[in-house]
Amino acid sequence: MNYNFNQIEAKWQQFWDSNKTFKVGHKSDRPKYYALDMFPYPSGQGLHVGHPEGYTATDIISRYKRMQGFNVLHPMGWDSFGLPAENYAIKTGTHPEVITKENIATFKRQLKSLGFSYDWDREFATSSADYYRWTQWIFVQLYKQGLAYQDEIQVNWCPELKTVLANEEVVDGKSEVGGHPVVRRPMKQWMLKITAYADRLIDDLDEVDWPENIKEMQRNWIGRSEGANVTFTVNGQPEELIKVFTTRPDTLFGATYMVLSPEHSLVDKITTDQQQAEVKQYIQAAALKSDLERTDLNKDKSGVFTGTYAVNPVNQQLIPIWVADYVLISYGSGAIMAVPGHDSRDYEFARKFDLPIIEVLQGGEMEKEAFLGDGIHINSGFLDGLNKEDAISSMISWLKERELGDSEINYKLRDWIFSRQRYWGEPFPLLNLADGTIRCLDESELPVTLPAVTSYEPSGTGESPLATIPDWLNLTDPISGQAATRETNTMPQWAGSCWYYLRFCDPTNSDRPWDKEAENYWMPVDLYIGGVEHAVLHLLYARFWHKVLFDLGLVSTQEPFKKLINQGLILGSDGEKMSKSRGNTVNPDQIVSDYGADSLRLYEMFMGPLAKVKPWSTDGVKGVFNFLNRVCKFFGTSENIGAQEDGPATVKLLHQTISKVTADIEGIRLNTAISSMMIFTNHIIKIGTISPASAKSFIKLLSPFAPHLAEELWSMHHSESIAYQSWPTFDPELAKEDLITMPVQVNGKLRATLEIPEDLSKDEFFKLAKEDQRVAKYLAEGVIKKEIYVPKKICNFVVITKK
């Protein structure tokens, strides 16, 4: 049979669609399996070949699990709110909803062309009012629990663009679009109290099967640290107190200066008249920098002296108070005690501004660098001679007795800024009433839908474009009868992706966000595949929302995602990250047209381990295509499938292949599973014939990887789809290698016997023998002079003893 992949793939995609082959329900006696891809944003550029990598892996697992008898939920939808669509609307005058629908149509066509086994009846977009009604509903629950509140915080404001910008939109203190100056200014924002769940977000990481690097990124992002808060008084202004959090209160004797964040409320109060101009100029310059620029470890340290001193509570020494941008108002209290002898940033600052450096932990070389290790305390008064643990305990007790401080747990994590000054996002279900109060809408008043407008220009005040639409903005509150205005900020793009996995459990429910029975059946997600870039944003936010919903009794699990896998990037053929600007992107449509979807799927899995970064090679696609072509010609020719029984070598290799492919799919080692199938195919083509039973088993193995070709080969002898056929099993006895016993001698004396495969090579045997502890200890006594190997009989190492 010729490999007419275009005809084969179109035929089976139409079959799966018309027969709803992968449609699934939650009322089943079969065990469930929930496999999920991270929600894609449907951009105007469509897919490049890097996108299907994770989707293909999830699809292989889903097809495999169906054949194992699982009831598999494998859905797809669209994370369709967000800034790119709004920016495009501003430039072109095209409504964001229009361009979003066009982008979704392109993405869906491309995904369908790759044969992914999604239940398309569960498809939805986060920008649909039927969906974001329930996103608003979840916000109402958060509000009722006191987890949503307003606060005035520092934001990035671009006077030229008349809008607030996200951190990611600011480069070197200028807007990414247009290169206009950006300043930091306070603005009232809606916040979510994610910090209330900080401990659980850390502790429950132990309950999930995630890559350790992702867990560590979340732990570091949350940044739980134990220490003490310490109170410093300002010399000459004893009513002014500076509170500092430190993880090393034992180093207080080494604190030689203090630093306040430029945004700290005390800066203006304590700065002397002589220093006011210089401090104000510095604060203005700091407002042009992003937090990332300010905290960059490699940046040149800068700062200005306030002219005022604080009093070190442990020794009453006066220490200068500086303003420096490497301290952020968002961490701790926005103030630090600087211990330059034992902190690298403080050390660099002290060296630059000629500030004292005192060694309080023995073991460093202060003239060269800060000592970051632990040592016995010196120059520390009542702490001298103590180790770190005892010194910390003693210092905290000392501070508590004098009401100068106490033990404390602090977090780097800050509450989530949950509002955006944009049109294309979920409106908040909130009314600002004439009496100054805020009313959160009842569930029955949802959804609050976006108005249909023709202009999306920023308001110019930092508010959302919704603030410029009076008919939508102004109303009379039906409950209180007061004049009211709607909240004009919209929710961030993360809101819709925080809970979409729950809606997939019950996507058409118009009475509630999900049915409890459906959620209880499907959750948690068994396998979640996506990019590492979501480690501390989407994944953290989704876990937070899920824990709130669990506490409210609305979900049955404490964690949403049981197993997480991050696929590695597929680079361009030039070894660089794929991007339109570099011109190194590869359109999957072209690969599918030239080689077929099965070839693309198989190649992306064959490139290497799923989690590794790999460069694209179209020549590699050709190699995989040739393999599928050989499979098609051999298994599609009835004359080749005639033997009623296979020879012993074929039987053994088939059972080994079933064993290897099964174990490799379970372990997500999809590249080596493909290698095993290639080895078996080469063997069969060389033999020239295979039994019908063995042919059926091999086609089943192939079907999760190359589903179109497998369906076509299966249909030659069966009327039903291969999708729900039982996965082949293997006999461990038949899969076993034939073993022989080999004696191992050292200087003619028997030291061990090894059971080895009959076809093990000489070099492989020597490696195995040398690693055996019974042999290795004698080899270590001297130098191997000669290695004697008689196949299937004996091995002898001649060793010259060391003198």
Side-chain angles (χ1 to χ4, degrees):
M1 182 176 81
N2 291 325
Y3 186 30
N4 188 341
F5 57 85
N6 285 321
Q7 182 180 335
I8 290 171
E9 291 175 359
K11 169 186 173 181
W12 288 104
Q13 287 165 20
Q14 183 180 6
F15 174 89
W16 295 328
D17 258 359
S18 58
N19 288 277
K20 295 188 181 295
T21 303
F22 307 112
K23 184 177 175 63
V24 67
H26 68 271
K27 296 185 184 297
S28 173
D29 294 332
R30 290 181 291 160
K32 69 92 180 180
Y33 192 85
Y34 187 174
L36 184 64
D37 302 299
M38 285 191 183
F39 229 14
Y41 175 79
S43 70
Q45 298 176 15
L47 298 174
H48 63 63
V49 292
H51 292 115
E53 181 187 16
Y55 303 156
T56 301
T58 318
D59 194 61
I60 289 170
I61 303 299
S62 296
R63 290 177 176 274
Y64 163 73
K65 289 293 183 180
R66 287 190 196 98
M67 297 177 76
Q68 281 200 318
F70 285 84
N71 191 32
V72 176
L73 174 56
H74 187 35
M76 176 52 70
W78 316 104
D79 189 12
S80 51
F81 270 136
L83 189 60
E86 183 169 325
N87 283 344
Y88 188 85
I90 292 171
K91 289 178 184 176
T92 65
T94 307
H95 196 286
E97 187 171 8
V98 173
I99 190 62
T100 297
K101 286 182 177 178
E102 290 175 0
N103 294 345
I104 286 174
T106 299
F107 263 63
K108 187 172 181 178
R109 174 191 60 76
Q110 290 182 304
L111 291 179
K112 283 200 165 188
S113 76
L114 293 170
F116 296 132
S117 59
Y118 296 126
D119 179 356
W120 284 107
D121 284 356
R122 293 175 181 261
E123 175 192 12
F124 57 78
T126 58
S127 56
S128 164
D130 290 341
Y131 180 85
Y132 71 71
R133 166 191 180 185
W134 299 113
T135 306
Q136 293 171 342
W137 181 89
I138 295 174
F139 177 84
V140 171
Q141 314 313 311
L142 291 162
Y143 186 91
K144 287 179 177 178
Q145 297 302 308
L147 295 171
Y149 66 97
Q150 272 190 314
D151 195 15
E152 192 169 86
I153 62 166
Q154 295 288 325
V155 297
N156 301 309
W157 171 253
C158 179
E160 182 68 26
L161 296 178
K162 300 186 176 80
T163 189
V164 171
L165 300 177
N167 285 335
E168 293 78 14
E169 299 171 282
V170 181
V171 180
D172 296 329
K174 296 181 179 179
S175 63
E176 188 177 30
V177 177
H180 305 296
V182 175
V183 298
R184 301 277 281 178
R185 60 177 267 192
M187 188 175 289
K188 191 170 282 190
Q189 302 284 296
W190 277 97
M191 314 284 290
L192 294 186
K193 198 176 289 186
I194 190 173
T195 51
Y197 283 76
D199 286 327
R200 285 168 63 183
L201 287 169
I202 288 180
D203 296 340
D204 290 353
L205 287 169
D206 295 336
E207 306 303 317
V208 293
D209 181 9
W210 287 20
E212 192 54 42
N213 66 307
I214 301 296
K215 292 184 179 184
E216 197 58 28
M217 287 171 74
Q218 290 212 356
R219 292 186 186 107
N220 290 337
W221 186 263
I222 297 167
R224 180 168 62 193
S225 52
E226 297 182 9
N229 59 59
V230 184
T231 301
F232 290 76
T233 57
V234 177
N235 188 49
Q237 304 178 50
E239 73 283 357
E240 301 296 353
L241 304 177
I242 302 176
K243 292 189 181 296
V244 169
F245 172 80
T246 175
T247 59
R248 296 300 301 267
D250 57 314
T251 62
L252 256 169
F253 284 95
T256 59
Y257 66 97
M258 296 193 73
V259 179
L260 301 183
S261 161
E263 298 84 8
H264 198 288
S265 60
L266 281 182
V267 171
D268 188 53
K269 291 181 181 180
I270 67 170
T271 301
T272 63
D273 292 341
Q274 295 88 337
Q275 294 296 107
Q276 280 287 352
E278 190 177 359
V279 168
K280 283 183 178 178
Q281 185 179 7
Y282 184 82
I283 291 173
Q284 290 171 357
L288 300 176
K289 300 178 183 178
S290 69
D291 288 354
L292 187 61
E293 292 174 281
R294 287 171 56 173
T295 55
D296 184 354
L297 292 176
N298 297 316
K299 87 176 191 76
D300 186 38
K301 298 296 180 291
S302 64
V304 178
F305 179 40
T306 64
T308 304
Y309 293 80
V311 180
N312 188 329
V314 295
N315 55 18
Q316 303 305 302
Q317 293 291 317
L318 296 182
I319 58 177
I321 304 173
W322 286 67
V323 177
D325 62 9
Y326 76 88
V327 176
L328 302 178
I329 192 66
S330 58
Y331 180 64
S333 62
I336 67 164
M337 63 175 212
V339 184
H342 305 284
D343 181 281
S344 296
R345 292 189 309 173
D346 296 346
Y347 184 89
E348 291 174 20
F349 193 92
R351 283 292 191 202
K352 180 172 181 177
F353 295 105
D354 198 25
L355 295 166
I357 299 173
I358 298 175
E359 182 181 19
V360 293
L361 296 172
Q362 196 171 34
E365 296 181 65
M366 294 295 105
E367 67 278 4
K368 294 182 179 180
E369 60 185 358
F371 175 55
L372 304 182
D374 285 320
I376 298 300
H377 284 71
I378 58 174
N379 302 320
S380 297
F382 63 90
L383 300 182
D384 280 354
L386 297 180
N387 60 26
K388 171 185 173 181
E389 184 178 338
D390 292 338
I392 289 176
S393 177
S394 294
M395 179 58 79
I396 291 176
S397 296
W398 189 91
L399 291 168
K400 288 171 70 173
E401 288 171 6
R402 290 157 181 79
E403 298 184 351
L404 295 171
D406 203 348
S407 58
E408 185 173 294
I409 296 176
N410 207 354
Y411 303 86
K412 290 181 183 177
L413 181 68
R414 302 266 71 84
D415 281 343
W416 178 8
I417 304 172
F418 195 66
S419 49
R420 298 292 184 270
Q421 294 70 40
R422 295 292 179 179
Y423 167 80
W424 192 236
E426 299 92 340
F428 281 91
L430 297 165
L431 295 180
N432 300 297
L433 303 181
D435 65 4
T437 61
I438 295 172
R439 185 172 77 82
C440 185
L441 301 184
D442 294 330
E443 289 88 338
S444 61
E445 298 175 272
L446 306 178
V448 178
T449 56
L450 285 169
V453 295
T454 56
S455 175
Y456 320 97
E457 292 292 336
S459 65
T461 64
E463 296 176 284
S464 158
L466 293 173
T468 67
I469 308 168
D471 291 346
W472 182 86
L473 177 66
N474 302 306
L475 72 159
T476 300
D477 176 25
I479 302 298
S480 67
Q482 296 185 52
T485 58
R486 297 190 188 278
E487 171 59 53
T488 59
N489 285 329
T490 52
M491 299 183 199
Q493 186 175 358
W494 307 109
S497 63
C498 266
W499 72 282
Y500 73 103
Y501 58 91
L502 289 166
R503 187 62 174 173
F504 275 139
C505 296
D506 191 21
T508 59
N509 197 323
S510 58
D511 297 323
R512 55 183 68 90
W514 57 83
D515 177 74
K516 194 164 187 176
E517 182 184 5
E519 183 277 330
N520 193 57
Y521 177 77
W522 287 117
M523 288 300 294
V525 175
D526 294 284
L527 176 65
Y528 197 29
I529 295 184
V532 70
E533 67 273 14
H534 297 296
V536 294
L537 292 171
H538 159 63
L539 286 171
L540 193 65
Y541 297 154
R543 293 181 64 224
F544 163 48
W545 276 35
H546 195 85
K547 290 182 183 302
V548 175
L549 295 171
F550 177 80
D551 289 348
L552 294 173
L554 298 170
V555 296
S556 58
T557 65
Q558 295 208 45
E559 287 286 333
F561 313 120
K562 186 177 179 180
K563 184 178 181 66
L564 173 71
I565 293 176
N566 298 123
Q567 81 271 16
L569 283 176
I570 293 182
L571 305 176
S573 56
D574 57 359
E576 299 291 334
K577 185 176 179 179
M578 285 191 186
S579 71
K580 196 173 181 180
S581 62
R582 289 193 181 98
N584 64 350
T585 60
V586 180
N587 190 327
D589 291 348
Q590 190 62 53
I591 302 299
V592 170
S593 174
D594 293 344
Y595 301 102
D598 283 346
S599 292
L600 176 59
R601 291 168 59 110
L602 210 65
Y603 172 64
E604 295 211 353
M605 298 300 97
F606 189 56
M607 293 172 77
L610 183 62
K612 298 296 183 183
V613 176
K614 303 157 289 260
W616 176 265
S617 167
T618 301
D619 287 341
V621 184
K622 294 176 185 176
V624 167
F625 169 79
N626 290 336
F627 162 67
L628 291 176
N629 191 35
R630 296 172 74 207
V631 169
C632 182
K633 286 184 176 180
F634 182 85
F635 288 93
T637 302
S638 56
E639 289 82 1
N640 294 334
I641 306 175
Q644 293 305 307
E645 292 185 5
D646 298 301
T650 299
V651 171
K652 178 197 288 186
L653 186 56
L654 175 65
H655 282 264
Q656 289 175 338
T657 305
I658 296 171
S659 172
K660 185 74 166 62
V661 172
T662 302
D664 283 349
I665 293 178
E666 290 285 354
I668 323 292
R669 298 181 296 272
L670 305 178
N671 56 320
T672 54
I674 295 168
S675 296
S676 298
M677 290 187 285
M678 289 178 169
I679 292 169
F680 183 79
T681 300
N682 291 338
H683 169 81
I684 286 300
I685 291 175
K686 185 177 179 181
I687 297 295
T689 184
I690 190 173
S691 70
S694 296
K696 284 171 61 175
S697 292
F698 178 78
I699 294 169
K700 287 179 180 179
L701 292 181
L702 182 68
S703 64
F705 299 84
H708 306 89
L709 177 56
E711 286 275 23
E712 185 67 16
L713 295 172
W714 186 261
S715 70
M716 294 174 65
H717 305 284
H718 305 84
S719 58
E720 69 280 6
S721 168
I722 198 173
Y724 291 95
Q725 298 302 309
S726 59
W727 187 253
T729 58
F730 66 93
D731 185 335
E733 289 299 316
L734 294 176
K736 273 178 34 177
E737 291 282 0
D738 292 332
L739 300 178
I740 59 172
T741 300
M742 277 283 287
V744 181
Q745 294 180 343
V746 178
N747 292 335
K749 291 185 178 181
L750 181 66
R751 298 302 183 188
T753 56
L754 301 179
E755 298 287 319
I756 62 167
E758 189 174 9
D759 57 354
L760 193 70
S761 71
K762 175 182 175 181
D763 290 340
E764 289 172 323
F765 175 78
F766 276 138
K767 182 176 183 295
L768 201 64
K770 290 174 183 177
E771 291 174 349
D772 189 288
Q773 291 301 312
R774 295 169 296 177
V775 177
K777 65 180 181 180
Y778 293 103
L779 299 181
E781 292 177 353
V783 178
I784 298 175
K785 183 70 175 177
K786 191 174 184 181
E787 297 175 344
I788 301 168
Y789 180 77
V790 180
K792 301 182 182 180
K793 290 189 177 180
I794 200 166
C795 157
N796 184 35
F797 294 103
V798 179
V799 175
I800 298 177
T801 305
K802 296 175 184 177
K803 294 183 180 178

